[in-house]
Amino acid sequence: MIMAERSFTTIENHWITLKDGTRLAARIWMPDGAESDPVPAVFEFLPYRKRDGTSPRDESTYPVFAAAGIAGVRVDIRGSGESSGINDGEYTKLELANACELIAWIAEQPWSNGSVGMMGISWGGFNCLQVAALKPTALKAVISIASTVDRYNDDIHYKNGSHLSAQLSWAATMLAYQSRSPDPAIVGDDWRDMWLERLEQEPFFMEEWLQHQRRDEFWRHGSICEDFESFDIPAIVIAGWADGYRNTPLLAVEGLGEKAKALIGPWVHKYPHFAWPKPRADFHGEAIAWWNRWLRGERNGVETMPSVRAYILDSIKPATRRDFDPGFWIAKRRWQPPDLHCFYVEQFGGLMEGMPIPHAPEHPVYLRSPLDTGTASGEWFTLKPDAELAIDQRLDDAGSLTFQTALLAEDHDYLGRPVVTLALRCDAETANLCARLVDIHPDGTATRVSFGVLNLAHRNGNAAPAPMSKGERTTVSLTLDACGYRFRKGHRIRLSLSTAYWPMVLPPPEDPGLTIDIASVGLGLPLLGTHELIDVKQPDDPDPLPKYIEHAPGSTKRHVVRDLSAGLTRYEIHEDTGLFEHPGTGLSTRQLREETWSIAPDDPLSMSGISTWTCDMQRSGWFVRTVATSSIFCTAKDWIISASVIAYEGETEIFRKMFEEKRIARDLM
């Protein structure tokens, strides 16, 4: 049945007062007539500022929901945007309790039918799963995009015990985001006092994150993989192969079974109706059908969708910008852990089909990658389909130990997580091992298909790392990130191993290298297996984001500078959003990120990272700016972090805070 679109009203700001007196700011899209004909509601809870930060994507989706008779309630977390209070961290018990309180508030409103959905991408994707695990009565379904079920291993902090540089990048981002002023047009004359309180009390998140370098209770909190069995809210879990959160959809359906549906496209860290690379997906249609089933009780059959729908990348090539990735959509009615297509390394270094020969004579090869191996890795957390994505891997393969097949005689299709096993010896307490699965095209171009990293002290788990026994033969298994990929006939499959993957992964305190027994190397690739070819509907609107008024254009630059005289490599990032004005509010904003990572290729203790964010807000007669700087250095025993925030009203500096330099002991990392 085709339902007529409903008219709706946008409430630019509505105050919701929590039981503890904190006043939160909400933007609401309300179907007209809801007071007499109550409607379901979709709730999103973020620290990214509804007034300016997420307004483009909010305005691309919530009006569509409202026209379908579904209210949208977008709320800023305490201490962000126009909400009062102070943000106390990521996914804290207070944040989740506030979310549950807000869900109850929504369900009690006279315009509500009592059923609430929760959705979001990244932070909002995380907390909607975590809130669902708490089972608030009115929450009936969630849609989680670019999120995680395991906060330790599949977020921006750590990966198998390896320290991700994204941890500093994200701490710097949040310090900058949280330092921004509320909008006087919403909060009135109290804006300056609210801003100064926020500046004075906002935390530097990295201090807390570095206190927990192993998978302890801090990370188990909010990781729904700790108790999949008790999670009973229907969930669509969405991600893109080009994003760091690519593992979550398959992990969710493995853990949640029929309660979850997975959708994986070629995308970066964006909603699938406007993400790159294309093809996109009709997120609005998917979501409305999901909400109608679980929030209205409409028998539309969405619960019978395949467990997994995935886009299989077809022999893609790196590019300065990837607007479209060739491939094809498949469905798996029921997801089962895939069978593995096994390869081993023969004595001359070729990658051959089959299992490693048991008890084969040891064939040791010493590997010590230059510490700047990894500059072709791109960002862990990708927002644009440009140099944030991995580029041609020949740059990194030059510092790696590589094994490859002969030319493939037929196409090979895979979906799932590759696994590498090998035996090695190490002369230090720990070292990093990186494995990359690479597609070698006939012209030599090398495309990264999947990768994984392991801090060898975490070889037996992340909760209780243990030093390596120096010089002792040790067998390790490394599970790479999920992929969906077709290796074409005439191509080669390459396995690349390195002891560095910088700047994505920060180095351990020593750089001993590894002695790898290549006779022990095994590679298991997850076979696509039985599947259906399907079509995934494209969005009706190919350009759904609203257009704002441009006052200054944005720009992006990434440089790798190798100072041959000084023996130093720098990775430099420049990201300028440009200055854009919202035509409805008159508010103009701009964010500038300048970030530099530096290392000497033979000295792990030379590593440094500095990230500076400049955030501007203005309208006629009013201008504010914050400059937030975060940095990390290291010694053999400590991580050394520091941060500062400076705020300006007009040309006048009104606030300056220097976070005390912290030395935090390295915990086998």
Side-chain angles (χ1 to χ4, degrees), residues 369-387:
S369 304
L371 290 169
D372 58 358
T373 301
T375 56
S377 65
E379 292 253 7
W380 189 90
F381 179 95
T382 55
L383 293 170
K384 298 188 301 305
D386 54 15

Side-chain angles (χ1 to χ4, degrees), residues 45 129 165 167 180 272 283 293 304 310 318 344 434 450 486 510 550 599 625 651:
F45 194 38
L129 289 177
S165 64
Q167 177 152 244
R180 290 177 290 180
F283 174 73
R293 171 66 184 91
T304 66
Y344 71 98
C434 175
S450 179
R486 167 171 285 177
E510 297 181 65
E550 180 182 306
I599 199 166
R625 165 177 287 173
E651 299 298 320

